[in-house]
Each structure stands twice: as C-alpha cells, then as structure tokens.
Amino acid sequence: MERINPNSEVALYRQLDQILRGKIQEGIWKPGDQLPTEAELIAQYGVSRITVRGAIKQLVADGLLVRSQGKGTFVATAKTLFPANDTIGFSKTCLMQGKRPNTQLLKVEKVFPPSDASKHLGMASHVKVLMTERLRSADGIPVAIETNFYSPILDDIVNADLNGSLFSILNQKYRITVKHGARTIAVCSATSYEANLLQINRRMPLLLFKDKILDSDNTPLYFSKQVYCTETMELSIY
C-alpha cells in the first residue's frame, strides 16, 4: 500500500489525491464503485479529515469522482456528450454513444404556462395547457429533467407512451417532422426536488435549456425546459 509521507514538501492532500487517482486510473476502482468512507480513508492512510476532504474535493472537481447525496462518493462514469444544438433528441444521442436511454414520466397535467411558453404557443397566459415532466437517464444514471408545455393540437399525446422518445412519437403518431426554432442555455442551481431526482446535492449547478419546438411548417408544437446535470453530461459545439 502506498503511504503518505508527512515529511514531503508535497501537501498531504495532494499526496492522497495522487494515490486515489492512481487507483482509478489503474482500474482498481472502476466506474460506479463506491469509495471507502472518510473514516476508513483516515484510518488507512493516517491522515486528518481535512486532508481526506481536500483530496476528494480535487478529484470531484477533476470529474473523476461524484458525490451522491445521502449515499456516498463514487468513481465517475464517462459523461454523456450532447450536441449543444441537439437536433436529434435525447434518446438518439444516447444510442449513438452506445448508452441505453431511459425516460420516466413523472407528471401529466393541465397548467398555466410560464410567459415564455405561452408566447411561443401563441396563447393567453390565463389559458391552461398540457404539461408533462419526464426524467431522462443514460445507462441508468439520471441526466436531465424535462418539462414540456404543448400546443392544444397535441392534447391527445397523453394517450401515447411518453416513457420514450418524444420525437419518435411525433413522427410516427402525427407524421410530424420536428424542427428547433430557438434554444437558450443558462446556468441555474438545483432545487431540493431536482437534486433528489438527479441524485446530486442541492444547489449544485445545472444547465438550463429552453427550446422553442416547431414543425416543418413553423407551427409551434411545444415549449421545452430541461435542466441537465453537469456531473453526468458535457456539451459539444460544432
């Protein structure tokens, strides 16, 4: 077992960082493996809690480890790479990267839409529209929460299986070709509700996407808001 040298000029947390990093890079700890507890690392390497936390914090910052609220610290899996303009949809993006997409329908209800959604749909803000909320996962790891506000022309979409690709439903059920009208990207902090679904800590940074979805005739279909977990996804720009 590698040991910490208290007489070294290298800071203790840096030494521990290198030891733990080596276990990951050598495959001793594999993606998804849970790390020993802080108490176990303290006892194993004869260091303080501050040293352990400093090393873990650096490895999390470098994307090698992830913390799961109430569960512990785990070796990170490879992040899912999403195109920033996303014209093919979540499910197809996952499949192209060899990952298994999964969608869990969380809510279906009629709501008063936010102003940006009602404006895109060309509806008065006091008129309720159909809203769905879905949890998107890749290889069983929660990646995003998607909230959609639909045009009345899609009200019967509730009869379709929404635990799958929405683009496929629109194409096969309605013979609609989806087109993105515009996308904005911002940063927000995870609420308690979002953190619980994405299995992260509250107030962790999330990427907030807002999409205006049209058909090939530029008819508004729905307005989509998605929050993506920055620990499990990366954006590509091309």
Side-chain angles (χ1 to χ4, degrees):
M1 182 187 76
E2 294 183 84
R3 297 186 179 278
I4 300 292
N5 180 4
N7 299 315
S8 172
E9 294 182 357
V10 179
L12 297 181
Y13 86 92
R14 285 288 187 187
Q15 293 184 54
L16 183 58
D17 170 307
Q18 292 303 313
I19 292 173
L20 303 185
R21 190 181 298 266
K23 289 181 179 290
I24 297 170
Q25 293 172 341
E26 293 167 18
I28 298 172
W29 289 344
K30 296 177 173 57
D33 284 354
Q34 185 172 8
L35 262 68
T37 65
E38 286 186 356
E40 289 170 337
L41 290 173
I42 289 169
Q44 185 174 356
Y45 293 103
V47 295
S48 69
R49 189 174 300 274
I50 292 176
T51 296
V52 169
R53 289 183 175 177
I56 298 296
K57 182 179 180 180
Q58 185 61 53
L59 291 167
V60 169
D62 290 345
L64 295 177
L65 298 178
V66 293
R67 291 192 180 101
S68 181
Q69 190 173 20
K71 295 184 178 181
T73 303
F74 298 81
V75 179
T77 57
K79 292 187 177 183
T80 304
L81 185 65
F82 289 92
N85 60 346
D86 187 21
T87 57
I88 61 175
F90 177 87
S91 296
K92 192 169 182 179
T93 296
C94 286
L95 291 171
M96 288 177 64
Q97 295 188 48
K99 294 179 180 288
R100 175 177 50 86
N102 179 264
T103 301
Q104 179 186 353
L105 181 62
L106 303 174
K107 295 179 184 177
V108 180
E109 57 191 48
K110 288 276 190 167
V111 300
F112 295 111
S115 59
D116 45 7
S118 60
K119 184 177 180 180
H120 170 61
L121 297 174
M123 302 182 64
S125 58
H126 63 272
V127 177
K128 287 188 175 182
V129 301
L130 177 68
M131 181 275 289
T132 62
E133 182 180 271
R134 308 191 301 167
L135 179 65
R136 317 301 299 270
S137 301
D139 282 348
I141 299 172
V143 173
I145 303 168
E146 170 200 275
T147 306
N148 295 334
F149 302 90
Y150 298 88
S151 164
I153 64 175
L154 295 177
D155 270 359
D156 70 338
I157 202 169
V158 295
N159 298 317
D161 181 8
L162 293 171
N163 293 297
S165 168
L166 184 56
F167 282 17
S168 294
I169 292 171
L170 291 172
N171 181 258
Q172 296 168 14
K173 180 179 175 65
Y174 295 92
R175 299 295 185 265
I176 289 175
T177 300
V178 175
K179 186 171 82 172
H180 280 75
R183 160 170 278 191
T184 62
I185 304 175
V187 178
C188 64
S189 298
T191 64
S192 297
Y193 175 73
E194 292 166 341
N196 182 60
L197 287 173
L198 295 172
Q199 299 176 15
I200 57 175
N201 293 323
R202 181 172 173 266
R203 295 183 180 175
M204 291 234 8
L206 301 175
L207 284 178
L208 170 62
F209 288 45
K210 291 185 179 181
D211 293 330
K212 296 177 180 179
I213 306 299
L214 311 165
D215 66 11
S216 56
D217 296 322
N218 292 323
T219 302
L221 295 175
Y222 63 94
F223 182 89
S224 182
K225 185 190 80 170
Q226 308 129 53
V227 286
Y228 278 84
C229 178
T230 55
E231 287 190 345
T232 53
M233 63 86 71
E234 292 179 335
L235 286 179
S236 65
I237 300 175
Y238 54 87

